[in-house]
Amino acid sequence: MDKFAEICKKIKNMEIRGAEEVAKAAVRALMIKSGENSVKKLVSLRPTEPCLVNAVNFVKSDPKRLGPVALNHFTEADKKIAEYGAKTIEDGMIVFTHCHSTNVMGILKEAKRQGKKFELHNTETRPLLQGRITAKEMASIGIKVKHYVDSAARFALKKADLFFFGADAVTTEGKVINKIGTEMFAEIADKYDIPAYCCTDSWKYDPKTVFGFMEPIESRGAKEVWDKPPKNVEIVNLAFERVDPKLITAIISELGVYSPDLFLDGVKTTYPFLR
Ligand code: RI2
């Protein structure tokens, strides 16, 4: 298998996962094999990932020259998001998160680097258990982690001071699409007055939604949930859900900490190619 095909396979089977990692892998793949067919193949791999589409659109005219520019965008944005987000964490806090997000991890690492003392509570995130990646990564740098099954999230959230989650897409209405369960947890956070921050690179914004295009919600294979279910049992395995902007305290991006509507204004002004 050539290197391009290998990257595509890893994105599809989620060996490479997380919106930002997927987008960066797609940029590297285009730098190896450019052309319209490569672009089509890459954008077909994960339907709910506009970051991949935006990154591919940004580099496709000249991947060798623009690929490094796109990769540098992510590196610089990660640093800023970590810096802005870390300011929301104070000593003694409990932070709750769901799934695994590069930007949430970056914020927690930065807060830890600054010497802040806090605890992380997280969910296992069925069916693929990305919560374990989060727990391992944070425990390895000395952050105390309490790990819960998804259905115990209310219990975990009630004790938390902050809820951080990532994004796979942001629509023109300011809805954030993220791992299934995120809106349910945001509703619980709202009920207990716990600030809910979406932590994301602004290239997750999907310009197609301006024209009424509904961001598709990826439906994944049944086997991820139950290998051999009995006859008459249909497995519903939706990967993502939409989070109402009313439930989002702010979006922490490389542009700053903004309410969802101001975030959208900032994205369109800063990145004309995303209009
Ligand atoms: P970063 C993940 O999706 C999660 O929903 C996570 O919050 C989101 O991508 C953003 O990830 P999946 O690829 O870009 O595990 O912050 O389905 O890494």
Side-chain angles (χ1 to χ4, degrees):
M1 195 185 300
D2 65 30
K3 191 79 187 133
F4 177 87
E6 200 184 305
I7 296 176
C8 291
K9 187 172 162 226
K10 284 186 176 167
I11 293 176
K12 188 75 196 164
N13 69 16
M14 291 188 62
E15 259 178 83
I16 298 174
R17 50 140 311 277
E20 181 174 328
E21 285 308 314
V22 164
K24 288 197 283 200
V27 167
R28 290 195 188 100
L30 262 193
M31 288 165 76
I32 295 166
K33 192 172 170 186
S34 59
E36 221 22 68
N37 286 344
S38 300
V39 168
K40 270 194 202 139
K41 174 73 188 169
L42 287 164
V43 303
S44 73
L45 295 170
R46 297 282 315 265
T48 316
E49 297 294 6
C51 192
L52 178 157
V53 179
N54 290 334
V56 162
N57 283 341
F58 180 82
V59 306
K60 68 181 178 188
S61 63
D62 188 352
K64 290 238 151 51
R65 184 174 64 84
L66 296 171
V69 180
L71 296 175
N72 186 54
H73 158 82
F74 289 115
T75 308
E76 291 306 312
D78 285 353
K79 282 187 209 153
K80 286 188 184 149
I81 296 166
E83 183 194 324
Y84 302 149
K87 294 202 171 101
T88 62
I89 301 179
E90 288 167 21
D91 273 342
M93 279 187 163
I94 293 175
V95 178
F96 174 85
T97 194
H98 178 54
C99 200
H100 176 269
S101 150
T102 314
N103 291 131
V104 173
M105 297 297 92
I107 290 171
L108 299 178
K109 282 181 199 162
E110 177 57 22
K112 172 76 184 165
R113 195 192 64 76
Q114 292 174 5
K116 293 187 179 176
K117 292 183 179 47
F118 59 96
E119 216 175 87
L120 179 70
H121 289 200
N122 86 320
T123 49
E124 56 180 355
T125 319
R126 284 272 297 152
L128 295 181
L129 303 174
Q130 291 102 320
R132 288 188 189 173
I133 308 174
T134 299
K136 268 192 211 157
E137 208 174 314
M138 294 297 98
S140 76
I141 58 163
I143 295 173
K144 196 171 162 209
V145 180
K146 286 199 178 138
H147 189 65
Y148 295 80
V149 297
D150 296 338
S151 44
R154 182 172 181 272
F155 189 77
L157 248 170
K158 260 163 75 171
K159 301 178 184 163
D161 301 287
L162 294 171
F163 171 27
F164 283 159
F165 56 97
D168 289 271
V170 184
T171 73
T172 194
E173 307 147 286
K175 288 187 181 167
V176 168
I177 299 180
N178 196 53
K179 186 60 54 187
I180 193 82
T182 305
E183 188 176 63
M184 179 167 64
F185 304 147
E187 280 169 2
I188 297 167
D190 185 51
K191 180 171 166 188
Y192 295 107
D193 272 336
I194 298 157
Y197 290 105
C198 170
C199 314
T200 185
D201 186 295
S202 64
W203 284 21
K204 310 264 181 76
Y205 167 64
D206 189 348
K208 288 205 299 308
T209 54
V210 171
F211 308 108
F213 171 83
M214 283 285 277
E215 193 65 52
I217 299 291
E218 179 178 353
S219 199
R220 297 188 58 85
K223 283 193 188 318
E224 285 182 356
V225 178
W226 195 346
D227 195 22
K228 287 190 183 119
K231 213 176 155 198
N232 291 333
V233 173
E234 184 195 345
I235 305 295
V236 180
N237 185 17
L238 294 169
F240 303 108
E241 69 183 342
R242 298 182 183 88
V243 184
D244 192 315
K246 288 204 273 308
L247 299 169
I248 301 173
T249 308
I251 295 182
I252 303 174
S253 78
E254 76 279 16
L255 305 174
V257 183
Y258 287 117
S259 62
D261 52 337
L262 291 177
F263 164 80
L264 292 171
D265 288 347
V267 177
K268 288 177 203 168
T269 318
T270 316
Y271 304 111
F273 80 100
L274 292 179
R275 265 187 222 151

